Amino acid sequence: MSIQWFPGHMNAARKKAAEAMEKVDLVIEVVDARLPEASCNPMIAELRAFRQRPCLKILNKTDMADPAVTAAWIAYYNAQKGVTAVALSCKKPADVARVPKLALQVAPHRGTALKPLRMMIMGIPNVGKSTLMNALLKKRVAAVGDEPAVTKTQQRLYLGNNMVLTDTPGMLWPKIAHPSDGLMLAASHAVGSNALIEEEVATFLADQLLQRYGHLLAARYGFDLAGMDGVAVVEGVAAKRGFRIKGGEYDFEKAAHVFLQDYRSGALGRITLETPTSRAELLASYQSTDNPEALDDEGDEEEEEEYDWRNAPDHRSGRD
């Protein structure tokens, strides 16, 4: 199953973000700590590189992620040029209070009354950008919801006298290259429900959890995992919860929905779906011509209107 979701407003948001980047000193990129690299929009990295803007990468929802794996990801990102990574929960005021100080450390040449620090908050849908924005300003200025793509317009707000925040809509990218990335994003509710089949996403998620977090599945649902695959796990959820349809068969659809909700809410425990090592292995597999999915993706690009920020006006003197 290949999941793609790129509503029209995201293309408009991408263009506006490219234009606004010229007058930004720092990008605050929010990702999901449970799938840090899969939830990174590659267009953000390209845009930052072109404008030479540093990044404060926030691994949000860290209270729902595997702490050992989160530590590995923080080390991975901090080894990258121009990136400062931190793990926190945007729902915890003490965590959010660290962000302004960290931002000033990343861009020490700004942050005065004459030269306020200009920051842009970016990320894919439903990773917590609006929650972070509201927490920083200590008031509700951005809509927050459990559905992806709640924010659809860009807004500019002031954080004290010395900082300016630009909030951007959640943006995915036109083609998700790796099917497993699309499934991880779907499992974590970063794509619209119209772009996925919950039963297939739940089966994928169950297969992933069987590999590293079987003990959490057993603790949550109380069944023996011996010999199980992803389909059997979802059927087991149906059996344990008594989900049946007319005729007595398991209600696989309802069980899949409940299983995904358990993961998304953190009820299953602290889970991370990818590690730096597993990511490297994934990329290596797609560089091999022996990967049929990689071959199928070649020449399968959809034509679309592209905004080439490399040809956009570059008034770098405005950076100060």
Side-chain angles (χ1 to χ4, degrees):
M1 178 183 183
S2 180
I3 293 176
Q4 307 293 336
W5 190 56
F6 195 66
H9 79 273
M10 287 189 185
N11 192 40
R14 177 178 61 174
K15 295 178 181 180
K16 290 181 180 179
E19 293 164 357
M21 181 71 74
E22 179 190 349
K23 297 181 179 180
V24 166
D25 305 299
L26 167 69
V27 172
I28 298 177
E29 183 183 8
V30 184
V31 301
D32 190 326
R34 298 169 298 177
L35 51 152
E37 197 65 9
S39 61
C40 283
N41 185 335
M43 294 189 302
I44 295 176
E46 292 175 8
L47 186 52
R48 282 199 310 102
F50 175 65
R51 292 296 184 186
Q52 299 179 26
R53 300 310 193 247
C55 175
L56 176 59
K57 191 180 290 284
I58 294 177
L59 277 65
N60 186 31
K61 306 184 182 182
T62 187
D63 53 328
M64 301 168 68
D66 186 325
V69 182
T70 298
W73 278 115
I74 292 295
Y76 172 84
Y77 287 123
N78 279 331
Q80 297 179 357
K81 183 180 179 181
V83 176
T84 298
V86 60
L88 52 79
S89 170
C90 290
K91 292 183 178 180
K92 295 181 179 180
D95 282 3
V96 174
R98 300 167 53 200
V99 174
K101 184 176 180 180
L102 288 167
L104 287 170
Q105 291 174 356
V106 175
H109 63 292
R110 306 289 301 199
T112 67
L114 293 177
K115 293 184 177 182
L117 177 58
R118 301 165 298 183
M119 302 173 288
M120 179 181 286
I121 299 179
M122 305 184 77
I124 69 169
N126 217 20
V127 291
K129 299 183 312 302
S130 295
T131 300
L132 174 62
M133 191 87 172
N134 293 340
L136 284 170
L137 293 161
K138 298 180 180 179
K139 59 181 178 181
R140 187 182 178 88
V141 295
V144 177
D146 188 43
E147 286 295 325
V150 172
T151 301
K152 290 185 171 63
T153 58
Q154 193 177 98
Q155 59 179 332
R156 182 181 172 95
L157 297 156
Y158 292 87
L159 179 61
N161 296 323
N162 304 330
M163 294 185 175
V164 182
L165 288 171
T166 298
D167 186 25
T168 61
M171 294 183 294
L172 287 172
W173 51 105
K175 183 174 179 60
I176 299 173
H178 311 308
S180 59
D181 282 358
L183 288 163
M184 283 191 281
L185 291 168
S188 300
H189 217 192
V191 301
S193 56
N194 60 330
L196 58 92
I197 300 173
E198 283 196 328
E199 296 94 312
E200 294 187 23
V201 177
T203 299
F204 165 82
L205 178 63
D207 279 327
Q208 297 301 303
L209 300 190
L210 281 169
Q211 295 179 28
R212 293 180 52 233
Y213 297 103
H215 62 290
L216 296 181
L217 291 175
R220 176 66 178 174
Y221 302 115
F223 46 63
D224 184 3
L225 299 175
M228 277 193 168
D229 60 7
V231 172
V233 168
V234 180
E235 288 180 343
V237 173
K240 288 293 183 180
R241 296 290 188 266
F243 298 150
R244 294 184 181 275
I245 58 177
K246 188 175 181 180
E249 295 183 3
Y250 293 134
D251 190 336
F252 199 84
E253 181 179 356
K254 187 173 183 179
H257 180 75
V258 167
F259 180 62
L260 289 173
Q261 287 298 106
D262 281 351
Y263 161 70
R264 293 166 179 169
S265 68
L268 289 176
R270 302 183 67 171
I271 291 167
T272 302
L273 297 181
E274 60 176 352
T275 69
T277 299
S278 70
R279 189 70 190 183
E281 292 172 349
L282 172 70
L283 296 180
S285 72
Y286 273 86
Q287 291 173 356
S288 171
T289 56
D290 293 332
N291 189 323
E293 290 183 334
L295 289 174
D296 289 343
D297 284 343
E298 292 180 5
D300 192 33
E301 300 289 342
E302 295 182 2
E303 292 186 2
E304 62 165 90
E305 179 189 359
E306 291 289 346
Y307 181 78
D308 187 358
W309 52 72
R310 294 168 183 81
N311 292 326
D314 184 14
H315 309 298
R316 298 199 183 189
S317 59
R319 187 176 180 183
D320 294 343

